[in-house]
Amino acid sequence: MQYKVNLAALDSSFQVPNALADNFIKLANPKHILILLWVLRHAEQPKSAGDIAAELHMDKAIVNEAIFYWIDNGFMVPEAGAAVQSVPPVTVPAAEVPEKAPATAPAPKPQKAAHALGSAMADDEDILARAKESPEFKFLLQKSQEIFGRTISKAERSMLLSLTDYYGLPAEVILMLIKYAVLSGRTGTRYIQTVGINWAEEGIKTLEQAEQKIKQLNKTNKLWHSFSEQAGIPHKNPTKKQEALFVKWTREWQMNIELLAFGYEKMLDSIDKVNYTYLDKIITSWHEAGVGSIEQAEALAQAKAPQGAKKSAAKDPAPSYSIDKFNRFLDNYDLKYTKEESDV
C-alpha cells in the first residue's frame, strides 16, 4: 500500500529544513529531533532550555544536549532572540576515519584540573567557543558523532576537549581510537579517555602509530578471549587492571594461554574466589622460576611441597593388615558353631 500527504493538513504549517530529513533524521537522537521540531514551530518565540524542558516534559539535560547538537550543526544559534536558521543540504559521509583533520593553530592548553579524567566537565559554552576557533576540534566533534551513530554526550565532548587540548592527541588519532572502541564494544567515556591518555603518554601522534597500537590491542583481545574460554571466565572484556596484568603476562613475559588458565584454576583451588592480585602472584612466581608449561608448574609445586607431603604423594602408606594373611587364617582355623541351650 502506498501513502501520500494529506494536503489539507498543510494549511497551517511551519518550515522544516530539507537537511534535517535528508541527512540528520537517521543520525540524530530522536528526542533531539523532537526538540528541534518544537523549536522550529516556535521560531518567532525564542525559549530557554528550561522553558523547552517544561513544555515537552523532558529532562533539562537532554534539552541542553539537543541545543548544543543543533547549534553545532547550524540549525540553531546561541544568541538570545535570534531566529533559527536553516542550513544548506550536506552529504553525511560514512563513518570513515580521515587521513588528516583540518589544520588549526595550536591553542593554549587549559589547566589540568579543568578537563582531566575524573574532574568536572567543561561547560558547553567553552566547547562551543573551542569549536568556533578550531576547525580541527569542530571536525572531531562532528566525526565522533558519525562514528558513534548518535549525539555525543556532554561527558564525551569534555573528554574530546581534554584529549586534544591537554593531552595533545591529534583529531585523527582520537577518531581511530573511537572507531576501535565502537568495534570492540567498549564505548564508555572513562575507557576511551584512559586509553587516549595512555596513547598520549606513549607518544602516539600519527595514524601509523595508532594503527600499530590497535593491532597490538586486537591481538591482546584475541588472547584474552581464548584465556576466558579455557578458564571459564563469564565476562567478555577485561577490566583495566585485568588488561594491564594480562598484557604483562602475555606480551612482556610471553606466558602461554594454557599456563595462565592453569594458574586461574590454582587460584580458585587455593582461595575459592577470583582475585587477580593473587593470580598475579602465582604467575609472577612461575615467571621468576622460568616456568613455561603446566608440567614445569606442577614440578615446581611438588619441589616446594613439605617433605611429608612429598612422601605421601610418592607412595601410598601400606595398610595395617594383610588380606592374604587373613584368608589363610580362616582356612586353617576350625570354626565350629555350638548350639546354645537357649537357641530354639
Side-chain angles (χ1 to χ4, degrees), residues 10-219:
L10 300 181
D11 288 345
S12 177
S13 60
F14 60 93
Q15 289 186 331
V16 175
N18 291 336
L20 177 63
D22 293 342
N23 304 309
F24 291 90
I25 200 166
K26 293 182 180 180
L27 181 63
N29 184 314
K31 289 185 177 180
H32 293 180
I33 292 178
L34 291 176
I35 291 169
L36 179 60
L37 288 175
W38 190 91
V39 170
L40 291 172
R41 171 66 180 86
H42 301 85
E44 302 301 325
Q45 306 165 4
K47 302 283 187 177
S48 68
D51 294 334
I52 298 173
E55 289 284 350
L56 298 179
H57 303 287
M58 288 186 178
D59 190 281
K60 187 176 178 181
I62 296 177
V63 176
N64 282 325
E65 292 277 355
I67 291 174
F68 179 91
Y69 180 77
W70 295 124
I71 289 177
D72 188 47
N73 285 285
F75 286 87
M76 296 177 66
V77 288
E79 289 79 8
V84 175
Q85 300 176 350
S86 63
V87 295
V90 296
T91 301
V92 179
E96 294 293 335
V97 178
E99 293 186 0
K100 189 173 180 59
T104 181
K109 293 182 179 180
Q111 295 297 318
K112 183 172 183 178
H115 306 300
L117 184 62
S119 64
M121 291 184 288
D123 294 332
D124 279 340
E125 291 77 10
D126 295 335
I127 297 175
L128 279 172
R130 188 73 181 95
K132 285 183 178 180
E133 69 183 16
S134 170
E136 181 182 19
F137 185 66
K138 182 177 181 180
F139 175 81
L140 175 61
L141 291 174
Q142 293 173 340
K143 289 297 180 181
S144 297
Q145 292 177 144
E146 291 180 19
I147 296 175
F148 279 119
R150 58 172 172 77
T151 307
I152 59 177
S153 66
K154 183 176 182 179
E156 289 166 337
R157 294 193 294 271
S158 296
M159 169 193 69
L160 297 179
L161 183 63
S162 172
L163 292 179
T164 54
D165 283 11
Y166 182 79
Y167 293 99
L169 284 180
E172 56 267 26
V173 171
I174 299 174
L175 292 173
M176 283 280 283
L177 169 56
I178 293 173
K179 190 168 185 180
Y180 162 77
V182 170
L183 292 176
S184 61
R186 307 183 69 178
T187 56
T189 304
R190 180 169 293 273
Y191 173 78
I192 295 175
Q193 181 155 1
T194 301
V195 175
I197 293 172
N198 291 338
W199 284 19
E201 292 174 348
E202 293 177 22
I204 297 175
K205 296 296 180 66
T206 67
L207 287 173
E208 292 75 18
Q209 292 173 329
E211 183 179 10
Q212 185 61 33
K213 185 66 177 180
I214 289 174
K215 287 181 178 179
Q216 292 179 358
L217 291 173
N218 285 333
K219 182 179 179 180

Side-chain angles (χ1 to χ4, degrees), residues 1-7:
M1 180 182 293
Q2 295 181 336
Y3 301 89
K4 64 179 182 179
V5 175
N6 181 7
L7 297 179

Side-chain angles (χ1 to χ4, degrees), residues 322-334:
S322 170
I323 297 296
D324 291 338
K325 289 182 178 180
F326 185 70
N327 287 332
R328 287 196 297 271
F329 168 77
L330 292 178
D331 291 339
N332 297 325
Y333 190 82
D334 185 14

